[in-house]
């Protein structure tokens, strides 16, 4: 039998998400060469890192990527982060014979424009926080003055995960408006602001693969957004995640599929927008049922690290099938055990932090059974791994239950050292006795 041609793949992005996707793709029998742009210290061990910054979706960058793919027989491009998706990278790289994983620009607006996403949710009667969209400073102040209690103020555009202010009172909400619309610290991303009611409950990340028609709900995970143990401190990109979670019962997932995912895909379709890729609903499980906090149009980081540790099946085939509209033809299975992913961050993150600290002990951690360390903000220099970002490593461990997975992930973190390292030892605490 003639052997099947292997697929060379380019992954855009530089975080733990891109490292874990590469790690899982590499396990596929049809995976050829792996390239990352720009990648990190971990991805350099799986394939080749290219000196291309995909956040810039200008003609030069797009041409550079296109040229690289044509000359290196790369027939699949996976777009990891939101910025290039929102700026239309998927549309611009699309080409006959090339598989692009990641939604087009029209669909990516669901993440890139929170005001528009809110409008879509309203139009489709999708449960979400009550909200007002404002487009000038005075209107924002007047609205806040008319409200009582907690509020959440969000820059409508993309702000590197920093544009959301969870406020306990009017004063904090007014200070948020001052940042976003007064000082314009997020630039154009803050031209419109969404002011929401503050919801209470546990958060759940429900990610689904959508191929334009079929929806496959991946194993849900719980992220931990606050920097410090006990959910204290400032919001971050995510300090740890675990899966499965007892919060996601079959009943809840059917409800989310029926009330959130299906109507979202349908309303986009009504507007002529085909969604292909990952649809990520960030939910608050309120006493009145699950409500959408936000939509993302990509894999969650660090949720996907924990999910991929449990995925059984050929990720390459799964992603291809999603992009090609035949998700109903692939089989997806899950390891029943639990995975806990702990993010080791630079001291000071999400505020100011230093880079260039030498990291030791990754090999010792990985020598433990069922432990894998994914790189996020790292780079390899002269045979050493140095810190190069806020979130540095994602230490993932499997266990028969959450307690065992958490203990093992924490023990693995203890073997890893870099100056100023900070991490939460309580990932999963909200569902543990
Ligand atoms: P987002 O990027 O919109 O998901 O917001 C980031 C984080 O802010 C969420 O994960 C929640 O922890 C918090 N958040 C966002 N919207 C609300 C809301 N309406 N009520 C309470 N917390 C919220
Ligand atoms: N972990 C949250 C996110 O990826 O947006």
């Amino acid at each position: 039998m003639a052997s099947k041609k292997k697929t060379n793949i380019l992954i855009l992005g530089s975080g733990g998400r891109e490292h874990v996707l590469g790690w899982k793709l590499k396990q596929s029998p049809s995976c050829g060469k792996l390239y990352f742009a720009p990648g990190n210290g971990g991805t350099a061990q799986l394939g080749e890192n290219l000196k291309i910054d995909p956040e810039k979706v200008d003609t030069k960058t797009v041409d550079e990527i296109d040229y690289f793919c044509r000359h290196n027989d790369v027939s699949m491009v996976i777009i990891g982060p939101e910025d290039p998706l929102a700026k239309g990278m998927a549309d611009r790289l699309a080409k006959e014979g090339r598989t692009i994983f990641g939604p087009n620009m029209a669909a990516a607006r669901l993440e890139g424009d929170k005001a528009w996403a809110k409008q879509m949710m309203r139009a489709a009667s999708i449960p979400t926080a009550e909200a007002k969209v404002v487009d000038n400073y005075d209107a924002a102040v007047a609205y806040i003055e008319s409200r009582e209690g907690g509020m959440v103020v969000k820059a409508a555009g993309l702000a590197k995960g920093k544009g959301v202010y969870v406020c306990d009172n009017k004063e904090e909400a007014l200070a948020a408006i001052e940042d976003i619309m007064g000082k314009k610290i997020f630039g154009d991303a803050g031209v419109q602001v969404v002011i929401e009611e503050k919801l209470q409950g546990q958060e759940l990340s429900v990610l689904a693969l959508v191929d334009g028609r079929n929806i496959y709900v991946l194993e849900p995970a719980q992220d931990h957004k606050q920097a410090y143990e006990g959910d204290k401190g400032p919001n971050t990109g995510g300090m740890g995640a675990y899966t499965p979670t007892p919060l996601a019962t079959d009943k809840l997932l059917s409800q989310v599929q029926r009330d959130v995912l299906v109507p979202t895909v349908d309303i986009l379709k009504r507007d002529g927008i085909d969604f292909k890729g990952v649809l990520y609903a960030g939910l608050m499980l309120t006493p009145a049922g699950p409500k959408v906090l936000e939509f993302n149009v990509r894999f969650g980081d660090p949720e996907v690290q924990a999910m991929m540790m449990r995925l059984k099946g050929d990720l390459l085939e799964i992603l291809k099938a999603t992009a090609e509209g035949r998700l109903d033809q692939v089989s997806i299975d899950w390891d029943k055990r639990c995975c806990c992913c702990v993010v080791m961050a630079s001291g000071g993150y999400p505020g100011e932090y230093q880079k260039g600290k030498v990291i030791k002990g990754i090999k010792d951690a990985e020598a433990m059974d069922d432990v894998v360390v994914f790189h996020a903000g790292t780079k390899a220099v002269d045979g050493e791994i140095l810190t190069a970002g806020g979130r540095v490593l994602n230490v993932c461990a499997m266990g028969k239950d959450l307690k065992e997975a958490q203990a093992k992930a924490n023990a693995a973190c203890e073997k890893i050292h870099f100056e100023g390292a900070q991490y939460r030892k309580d990932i999963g605490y909200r569902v543990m006795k």
Side-chain angles (χ1 to χ4, degrees), residues 62-141:
V62 173
D63 285 351
E64 238 176 330
I65 296 174
D66 183 60
Y67 182 90
F68 182 84
C69 292
R70 282 189 284 117
H71 289 265
N72 293 277
D73 194 19
V74 170
S75 59
M76 183 170 189
V77 181
I78 297 168
I79 306 171
E82 60 274 22
D83 272 288
L85 289 167
K87 291 179 191 154
M89 187 64 100
D91 313 55
R92 297 186 65 175
L93 291 176
K95 186 173 171 272
E96 185 66 32
R98 185 184 288 163
T99 304
I100 307 282
F101 186 85
N104 61 25
M105 187 167 167
R109 198 171 170 197
L110 217 44
E111 175 165 1
D113 182 352
K114 287 182 193 285
W116 185 77
K118 214 33 145 186
Q119 194 184 310
M120 297 307 266
M121 283 189 262
R122 273 201 203 120
S125 302
I126 291 167
T128 182
E130 289 297 328
K132 171 120 179 132
V133 177
V134 291
D135 56 13
N136 71 74
Y137 188 96
D138 292 342
V141 171

Side-chain angles (χ1 to χ4, degrees), residues 191-354:
V191 168
Q192 281 192 311
V193 164
V194 182
I195 305 172
E196 291 188 1
E197 65 172 321
K198 186 175 167 189
L199 299 173
Q200 306 290 343
Q202 295 223 34
E203 284 185 50
L204 181 68
S205 304
V206 176
L207 282 72
L209 295 169
V210 180
D211 71 356
R213 186 166 55 95
N214 302 292
I215 297 176
Y216 177 87
V217 181
L218 297 162
E219 285 281 281
Q222 190 174 40
D223 187 14
H224 295 62
K225 288 261 169 62
Q226 284 83 11
Y228 313 130
E229 282 169 22
D231 289 332
K232 304 278 188 326
N235 250 316
T236 71
M239 292 299 289
Y242 69 92
T243 169
T245 169
L247 299 169
T249 58
D250 288 347
K251 181 164 168 271
L252 181 89
L253 288 181
S254 317
Q255 195 182 349
V256 171
Q257 176 137 359
R258 185 193 64 213
D259 298 344
V260 177
L261 301 173
V262 170
T264 302
V265 174
D266 283 352
I267 196 139
L268 292 176
K269 201 168 278 170
R270 189 203 66 183
D271 285 3
I273 301 170
D274 231 6
F275 194 103
K276 284 187 181 168
V278 177
L279 178 59
Y280 164 152
L283 302 171
M284 187 74 94
L285 306 181
T286 77
K291 294 193 180 183
V292 177
L293 296 176
E294 64 163 347
F295 280 121
N296 295 321
V297 297
R298 49 167 177 88
F299 286 112
D301 185 343
E303 291 97 319
V304 71
Q305 285 83 322
M307 283 176 197
M308 288 300 135
M309 289 282 287
R310 293 186 53 222
L311 180 77
K312 288 192 195 165
D314 185 331
L315 183 65
L316 179 41
E317 289 309 317
I318 294 169
L319 298 187
K320 251 192 189 155
T322 307
E324 291 168 4
R326 46 177 187 82
L327 199 43
D328 47 348
Q329 291 169 16
V330 291
S331 71
I332 305 180
D333 222 341
W334 300 91
D335 191 321
K336 296 278 178 285
R337 290 175 299 164
C338 182
C339 181
C340 180
C341 171
V342 177
V343 173
M344 294 186 82
S346 296
Y349 173 79
E352 304 233 326
Y353 56 83
Q354 293 180 344

Side-chain angles (χ1 to χ4, degrees), residues 338 340 399-410 432-433:
C338 182
C340 180
K400 67 177 188 307
D401 54 22
L402 177 56
K403 190 165 170 254
E404 190 179 288
Q406 190 209 61
K408 210 191 282 180
N410 288 344
M432 282 164 82
K433 287 286 164 301

Side-chain angles (χ1 to χ4, degrees), residues 413-427:
C413 289
E414 275 175 32
K415 295 184 186 287
I416 299 174
H417 302 280
F418 55 89
E419 194 189 317
Q422 61 171 40
Y423 60 96
R424 287 180 58 166
K425 295 192 181 69
D426 69 343
I427 300 308

